[in-house]
Amino acid sequence: MTKQVQQLDRVIIRFAGDSGDGMQLTGDRFTAGTAEFGNDLSTLPNFPAEIRAPAGTLPGVSSFQLHFADHDILTPGDAPNVLVAMNPAALKANLGDLPRGADIIANTDEFTKRNLQKVGYAANPLEDDSLSEWRVHAVPLTSLTVKALEGFDLSKKDAERSKNMFALGLLSWLYHRPTEATIKFLEQKFAKKPDIAKSNIAAFQAGWNYGETTESFSVSYEVKPAQLAPGVYRNISGNQALAYGLIAASVQSKLPLFLGSYPITPASDILHELSKHKTFGIRTFQAEDEIAGVGAALGAAFGGALGVTTTSGPGVALKGETVGLAVMTELPLIVVDVQRAGPSTGMPTKTEQTDLLMAMFGRNGESPVPIVAPMSPSDCFDAAVEAARIAIKYRTPVMLLSDGYLANGSEPWRLPEVSDLPDISQEFTVEPNGADGEYLPYKRDTETLARPWAIPGTAGLEHRIGGIEKADGTGNISYDPNNHDLMVRTRAAKIAGIDVPDLDVDDPDGDASVLVLGWGSTYGPIAAAVRRIRRNGGKVAQAHLRHLNPLPANTGEVLKRYDKVLLPEINLGQLALLLRARYLVDIISYNRVRGLPFKAEELAGVIQDVIDSD
């Protein structure tokens, strides 16, 4: 049977099922095949915080959304064109996001009376007219998988576990995804269990063959590769990119990397990734708690390493005292905060931008620290290198604010040329620097105000270290009021004087009256919304902040250049509060704290309303 092939410029697919159905693995493998094919892509994993939520219930639904296209894209997409629903809970939880006319591929085997009752369906939606506005493909995924694996020595329950691979095979056929990489992945993943590997491969191939032979799908779709800039690409998540950026920073600074960390969602994958790279001299330490993790990292910095600690919101609260100690001792330390929904443990697997004020002020005393925020998963690499540059050059702890959306999301990343990476190396102090031949640990560089960095054990450079106020120059303990005032102001001046690039403004014609400002992970949705406005003839400017402390020197001038400044944040207006206080500009805040990234369509409507308002 010859089937029609339809060309599309982009597709948004959402895999959804029970948290035990393997939706994240299915999405990851489909993404890998899509990256291999050469499409531009962006992903949004969304999963419950519970290790194993009650099966078949709404709280237990796990989903993975993938947007891929033959052109440059910026977000995982606002709404899926295709929903793969493995059970009634997955259908009910995601149907509200599905536009009319979209495709639903439903696993009919799981639409039992008991499963329908669990989520409040009085009747089977696949059998009444409630889904008439969508194109429904009823496929018995579970029983087809069991049938395909009859020749294997597997129980029915074990065979059913491969239904996600059957679904992956079907979708791979439907969108012409390459299969070789998935087969190789399964062979490697289950290398010690060859029978399991063979059964999963058989289920995957059966799904592909089903798509090829069934009359349920008369059309398959093709999305051609995107025209990306020349180079070597790989698919990368934000946490992977951040880990690789820390490794690059270690190499470029000529410092051994030490990570002191306590596992916490969604930052744990940085620890997992760095632990794989001992060949680069990376040392990873899984501490017994958050305080021990940051304490070990600061101790490593004192010993001459690039000290790093990774955590999420609640962990930052616990690390605050030691970060203050790093401010006082003026040692380089990178504190990675992969933000999640709070307060307290909040929604551990959901994203927010709610830790900015904590990063700015969440320590006792006057203890300013630089803050850097990446804007996309791949940008986490560059942000990590930049955080290391600042920490080393200015002898200061640096807060790096990623978030759950960036950490778990992925996109194509062009591998940088090593020769293009900055040299961020610094020389340790090895000779006395005082006029009388003594060592002055707080004698500062006249340009950066950074103090010397002497490795413990260097003869003649012994010095005190600790959290009590230091005397200017000598570093001796001091309770002198005037000295304390001097040191507080000097530490603040050091941070304020950090060299950061000017804020770049995207204003094609230079005559826009509205500026949309953002920071962190809001970049993609904002940029996509701005594109929509401009396609419709609207005039709007866009700027995005990477450095949040200190702010770029031209920030005030940029803000005052426009009649209106719109600032979308996934918080209740934290950056807006800071900008209003510092620049006396009436920022227009747009805030949502739903644990999800903004949608481009939503922001486009907000931008248009601001443009149209008097």
Side-chain angles (χ1 to χ4, degrees):
M1 179 174 58
T2 302
K3 296 192 176 185
Q4 179 184 352
V5 177
Q6 183 176 335
Q7 296 290 331
L8 299 175
D9 64 343
R10 67 185 186 95
V11 175
I12 304 169
I13 298 175
R14 183 180 296 176
F15 297 93
D18 192 72
S19 57
D21 285 340
M23 293 296 93
Q24 302 306 315
L25 175 62
T26 305
D28 282 341
R29 293 318 308 161
F30 195 91
T31 300
T34 298
E36 179 187 2
F37 188 75
N39 297 121
D40 195 14
L41 62 89
S42 180
T43 69
L44 177 62
N46 192 1
F47 43 88
E50 290 79 10
I51 294 174
R52 188 67 175 90
T57 64
L58 292 174
V61 173
S62 175
S63 68
F64 188 105
Q65 183 163 306
L66 166 67
H67 182 191
F68 61 101
D70 64 3
H71 57 275
D72 173 44
I73 57 174
L74 296 161
T75 74
D78 289 349
N81 308 116
V82 182
L83 171 65
V84 180
M86 302 298 283
N87 60 18
L91 176 64
K92 189 165 190 177
N94 292 281
L95 191 61
D97 294 336
L98 208 61
R100 302 299 187 257
D103 288 287
I104 299 173
I105 300 175
N107 180 15
T108 57
D109 291 321
E110 296 300 320
F111 280 72
T112 63
K113 183 177 180 180
R114 184 168 182 269
N115 285 345
L116 291 167
Q117 290 175 341
K118 281 183 182 180
V119 295
Y121 276 126
N124 189 340
L126 302 181
E127 297 174 353
D128 58 25
D129 293 330
S130 60
L131 301 179
S132 60
E133 297 181 359
W134 294 274
R135 294 184 296 184
V136 179
H137 306 272
V139 182
L141 293 172
T142 304
S143 56
L144 285 172
T145 303
V146 173
K147 180 73 173 176
L149 300 182
E150 283 181 343
F152 292 84
D153 186 20
L154 295 172
S155 67
K156 183 174 181 290
K157 184 177 181 180
D158 287 339
E160 289 176 353
R161 290 174 179 168
S162 296
K163 63 182 179 289
N164 64 324
M165 288 297 104
F166 188 99
L168 177 60
L170 172 58
L171 269 293
S172 296
W173 171 83
L174 192 59
Y175 290 99
H176 293 237
R177 300 297 92 184
T179 61
E180 293 79 7
T182 296
I183 293 172
K184 184 177 180 181
F185 166 81
L186 292 170
E187 289 173 341
Q188 293 175 343
K189 181 177 178 63
F190 299 107
K192 295 182 180 180
K193 299 178 180 179
D195 290 341
I196 300 297
K198 290 177 182 178
S199 63
N200 275 282
I201 292 170
F204 173 72
Q205 292 173 329
W208 176 282
N209 293 335
Y210 177 80
E212 183 72 25
T213 58
T214 184
E215 295 182 4
S216 299
F217 297 93
S218 59
V219 178
S220 64
Y221 303 94
E222 187 174 67
V223 181
K224 293 183 178 180
Q227 297 299 313
L228 302 175
V232 178
Y233 285 81
R234 59 155 293 169
N235 184 52
I236 199 165
S237 70
N239 275 346
Q240 285 178 316
L242 208 154
Y244 295 164
L246 292 173
I247 295 171
S250 173
V251 173
Q252 294 302 106
S253 65
K254 301 179 177 63
L255 296 174
L257 177 66
F258 178 92
L259 174 70
S261 182
Y262 180 74
I264 184 171
T265 302
S268 299
D269 283 341
I270 302 171
L271 169 62
H272 301 160
E273 186 63 40
L274 286 175
S275 68
K276 301 175 184 177
H277 299 285
K278 295 181 176 63
T279 52
F280 288 98
I282 310 300
R283 294 180 177 88
T284 55
F285 168 53
Q286 181 174 317
E288 65 269 27
D289 56 41
E290 296 282 5
I291 299 171
V294 68
L298 182 58
F302 178 56
L306 179 58
V308 182
T309 190
T310 54
T311 188
S312 190
V316 178
L318 291 167
K319 295 178 189 293
E321 183 178 3
T322 305
V323 176
L325 177 60
V327 171
M328 177 63 74
T329 57
E330 300 190 47
L331 289 168
L333 174 70
I334 300 173
V335 181
V336 177
D337 177 9
V338 185
Q339 300 167 93
R340 71 187 202 187
S344 187
T345 44
M347 299 192 297
T349 59
K350 311 303 179 184
T351 193
E352 275 183 9
Q353 291 183 301
T354 44
D355 293 350
L356 176 57
L357 293 181
M358 179 167 65
M360 285 287 293
F361 306 119
R363 296 161 298 282
N364 67 298
E366 296 285 350
S367 51
V369 299
I371 302 173
V372 177
M375 65 182 185
S376 69
S378 61
D379 188 50
C380 288
F381 177 92
D382 297 309
V385 175
E386 174 66 358
R389 178 192 74 86
I390 293 172
I392 294 166
K393 183 175 180 178
Y394 293 91
R395 311 286 195 270
T396 178
V398 176
M399 295 287 297
L400 195 158
L401 295 183
S402 179
D403 62 40
Y405 169 43
L406 296 182
N408 295 317
S410 61
E411 64 182 359
W413 175 54
R414 185 172 65 168
L415 274 63
E417 296 292 337
V418 175
S419 58
D420 293 336
L421 296 175
D423 180 359
I424 57 176
S425 59
Q426 292 281 308
E427 297 293 331
F428 293 118
T429 300
V430 295
E431 299 289 341
N433 59 357
D436 298 324
E438 76 274 30
Y439 175 54
L440 299 175
Y442 281 81
K443 181 179 180 181
R444 301 181 182 277
D445 181 281
T446 55
E447 178 184 352
T448 65
L449 298 181
R451 77 174 188 87
W453 191 6
I455 303 303
T458 305
L461 304 189
E462 298 84 358
H463 59 283
R464 291 182 176 89
I465 201 77
I468 297 179
E469 184 61 278
K470 305 292 182 289
D472 182 35
T474 66
N476 295 333
I477 291 174
S478 173
Y479 295 99
D480 178 71
N482 291 330
N483 176 78
H484 178 57
D485 185 88
L486 172 65
M487 295 298 278
V488 166
R489 293 179 186 277
T490 302
R491 287 188 291 263
K494 181 177 70 170
I495 303 306
I498 291 172
D499 60 310
V500 302
D502 278 349
L503 180 60
D504 184 46
V505 181
D506 175 21
D507 187 355
D509 299 322
D511 57 354
S513 61
V514 174
L515 170 70
V516 185
L517 183 67
W519 69 275
S521 65
T522 58
Y523 172 78
I526 290 174
V530 166
R531 282 184 181 178
R532 296 187 185 198
I533 296 296
R534 290 175 179 169
R535 279 199 300 265
N536 293 328
K539 293 183 179 296
V540 61
Q542 181 190 359
H544 207 77
L545 287 163
R546 163 177 279 182
H547 296 88
L548 299 165
N549 193 37
L551 291 162
N554 68 331
T555 302
E557 182 273 325
V558 168
L559 296 180
K560 292 174 181 178
R561 191 189 309 166
Y562 293 90
D563 296 338
K564 299 172 185 175
V565 179
L566 172 66
L567 176 51
E569 298 183 77
I570 310 177
N571 58 43
L572 294 183
Q574 296 189 14
L575 180 59
L577 177 71
L578 298 175
L579 295 179
R580 287 189 185 111
R582 179 162 181 178
Y583 299 109
L584 303 180
V585 172
D586 188 18
I587 303 291
I588 302 171
S589 281
Y590 181 73
N591 310 110
R592 290 289 185 272
V593 279
R594 302 183 303 123
L596 295 169
F598 287 118
K599 293 182 178 181
E601 182 180 10
E602 169 191 8
L603 290 184
V606 174
I607 295 169
Q608 190 62 56
D609 287 344
V610 172
I611 293 173
D612 294 341
S613 65
D614 294 329

